[in-house]
Amino acid sequence: MILVFIGTAGSGKTTLSAAFGRYLEENGYSVGYVNLDTGVKSLPYRPDVDVRESVTAWELMEEGLGPNGAIVESYDRLLPEVDEYASRIARLDGERDYIMVDTPGQMETFLFHEFGVRLMESLPEPLAVYLFGPEILKEPHDFCFVRFFSLMIDLRLGTTTVPALSKVDTVEDLEGYRKFLDDIEYLTARLKLEPSTQGLLAHKMCSALPELAPPTRVVYLSARTGEGFDELETLAHEHRCTCGDLT
Ligand code: GDP
Ligand code: MG
């Protein structure tokens, strides 16, 4: 069972790959770890597959590229090896119960580069976990944004995607967040009261969500306290058994 953590830089992908993997190991499962970030210096887990064996952003910066150029160039250089990496991950998946795939720091590297898209196409039934931090949820339309972004990942990568609020240990009013994220009807009704252009757009978009999106539930995670790990384990298990129906 392959879990792929996707999210903006700092959303907690690397920390969660390590913490959730450790949790599964403590519960008796065998876990494999995959690092797809060419720019990371140290990792809190020991990767079984690591793209830095082929290339690192650091060595390309030493060749004179800037940080952004080096990241893009590193995935250009990885592209010819994408099938080999996909086979190695699939082989690891055959040997272990769960595979944690930690994706590049910058999300666009994975979603917009052919390396990420082709890798995901080649993996057997991966489940994507879209991580977003509580700091981006300020206005009602932000909640609509993350639900749609999750759907966009699904569209781009062709993978069932679970939206996951990360770092919930830093959230005081989790119930307030849950109300907006769990209950699309409530969110849509709330958006109707937003007079701004964004509010209007979000209201239209959220009204269409039940028809567009598979009825996936949202998970609430903390890599620090382990909150929500049991829920993520259940979702992963359901994904394996039912392939996509995560209501
Ligand atoms: P990545 O760029 O998505 O891989 O994010 P990292 O895993 O490197 O985490 C970015 C920062 O968020 C680090 O300083 C982590 O210690 C912190 N962090 C990650 N997960 C959590 C969490 O569950 N709770 C808290 N409070 N901080 C977290
Ligand atoms: Mg990372």
Side-chain angles (χ1 to χ4, degrees), residues 54-70:
S54 302
V55 62
T56 67
W58 307 104
E59 70 198 43
L60 297 175
M61 284 173 73
E62 275 162 25
E63 287 176 20
L65 289 170
N68 292 326

Side-chain angles (χ1 to χ4, degrees), residues 7-69:
T8 50
S11 58
K13 304 178 289 294
T14 300
T15 314
L16 189 65
S17 300
F20 187 60
R22 206 177 314 118
Y23 161 87
L24 292 170
E25 287 184 58
E26 283 165 6
N27 282 292
Y29 295 106
S30 57
V31 179
Y33 298 86
V34 176
N35 170 49
L36 298 179
D37 190 350
T38 57
V40 71
K41 275 205 163 151
S42 67
L43 290 170
Y45 55 84
R46 211 152 51 86
D48 300 280
V49 176
D50 189 344
V51 289
R52 294 176 304 170
E53 291 164 23
S54 302
V55 62
T56 67
W58 307 104
E59 70 198 43
L60 297 175
M61 284 173 73
E62 275 162 25
E63 287 176 20
L65 289 170
N68 292 326

